[in-house]
Amino acid sequence: MYLVFLGAPGAGKGTQAADVAHKLNMVHISSGDLFRDALGKGTELGKKAKSYMERGELVPDEVTTQMVLERLAAPDCARGVILDGFPRNLTQAQALDKALKREKKTVDKVILLEVSGEELIKRLSGRRICRNCQAVYHIMNSPPKVAGKCDKCGGELYQRPDDNVETIKNRREVYSVQTAPLIDYYRKPGKLAEVRGEGGVDVVSGKIIEVLRQDR
Ligand code: AMP
């Protein structure tokens, strides 16, 4: 099964993709995490992505698509994949369709997470990430047991440099202009399911899993 999680920045794609993937024994692929990992390691890919990420712009399609398709080709992906943050525009969606079609596969379902604008800002500004395992926390809604430390691996928590007011504004603009057209792209063939993203992590992931079950 190939799932895509769509939603504005802060809608909870990463948190939900990780939770649902864990519960359904699927692989969670986050294009943002792949870039942040490359950035942290100082690889060529990281160097290419850096300036775009800092500005909240999309990294060029060729670079992004190649990175994600390479990851998708790994053997562990045979058990099913949740894509989080990819595709982010029509070119990427078409490249994904083409690559899956070659393998006689397809995007099975797209979950659109919907959260109010005010809530999105609150979520992004309070978000903290583990530098080591990328687990996501929120200083108010889901704080770690020990301040600044990841519950899962003890790694240091940090605030993403693109979670500042100016960059958030740009990322939202990029989402509405470039990514939101994907809603219709996936709605037309009947692949889109809309899920309200407000509420606890388990409540929302429960709703997503229910949608997936109904579809089987
Ligand atoms: P995210 O963690 O999904 O919010 O992504 C963080 C940043 O990584 C984005 O603001 C982009 O600069 C870059 N990025 C992640 N996914 C993509 C993508 N599919 N296409 C282009 N750039 C991306």
Side-chain angles (χ1 to χ4, degrees):
M1 190 159 54
Y2 288 83
L3 305 179
V4 169
F5 280 21
L6 270 186
K13 295 185 296 295
T15 305
Q16 287 304 323
D19 198 48
V20 173
H22 176 70
K23 287 174 175 159
L24 300 183
N25 188 31
M26 296 173 78
V27 174
H28 169 202
I29 299 179
S30 154
S31 45
D33 283 352
L34 292 175
F35 281 132
R36 277 183 289 279
D37 189 48
L39 209 78
K41 290 182 177 142
T43 65
E44 274 311 305
L45 176 67
K47 283 179 200 152
K48 278 186 198 158
K50 190 170 188 282
S51 64
Y52 298 96
M53 293 179 78
E54 280 169 355
R55 285 179 280 127
E57 299 287 342
L58 295 188
V59 178
D61 290 334
E62 315 79 67
V63 177
T64 308
T65 303
Q66 192 191 349
M67 171 185 79
V68 175
L69 293 185
E70 269 174 22
R71 177 66 188 90
L72 269 176
D76 63 334
C77 291
R79 63 180 209 258
V81 170
I82 301 182
L83 285 168
D84 146 27
F86 181 92
R88 253 203 182 59
N89 61 25
L90 285 169
T91 310
Q92 293 180 9
Q94 284 159 352
L96 175 65
D97 281 349
K98 212 168 137 193
L100 290 179
K101 201 170 173 194
R102 277 201 294 269
E103 307 286 319
K104 303 210 169 14
K105 289 170 183 152
T106 186
V107 170
D108 298 287
K109 197 89 199 160
V110 177
I111 303 291
L112 173 64
L113 280 169
E114 292 192 297
V115 170
S116 73
E118 204 182 314
E119 176 71 15
L120 290 174
I121 300 279
K122 271 196 227 155
R123 285 186 179 190
L124 289 174
S125 48
R127 176 159 74 175
R128 298 293 182 272
I129 315 278
C130 173
R131 218 177 265 290
N132 182 44
C133 75
Q134 324 291 337
V136 182
Y137 296 85
H138 189 279
I139 48 172
M140 303 300 286
N141 305 340
S142 54
K145 291 193 183 100
V146 178
K149 273 204 166 183
C150 177
D151 293 349
K152 294 182 181 134
C153 73
E156 180 207 355
L157 302 188
Y158 78 110
Q159 181 167 31
R160 276 174 48 174
D162 57 347
D163 277 348
N164 66 72
V165 177
E166 261 319 294
T167 317
I168 288 174
K169 228 169 104 190
N170 198 28
R171 285 161 63 205
R172 291 178 60 149
E173 176 74 18
V174 167
Y175 175 79
S176 29
V177 175
Q178 303 195 50
T179 311
L182 293 182
I183 296 172
D184 268 350
Y185 180 81
Y186 289 120
R187 186 180 276 136
K188 274 188 199 135
K191 294 186 178 187
L192 193 83
E194 293 165 52
V195 174
R196 291 280 341 152
E198 276 120 1
V201 175
D202 282 328
V203 173
V204 179
S205 63
K207 285 194 273 187
I208 296 173
I209 291 169
E210 187 52 35
V211 164
L212 298 174
R213 289 226 166 96
Q214 281 168 6
D215 219 51
R216 302 223 100 192

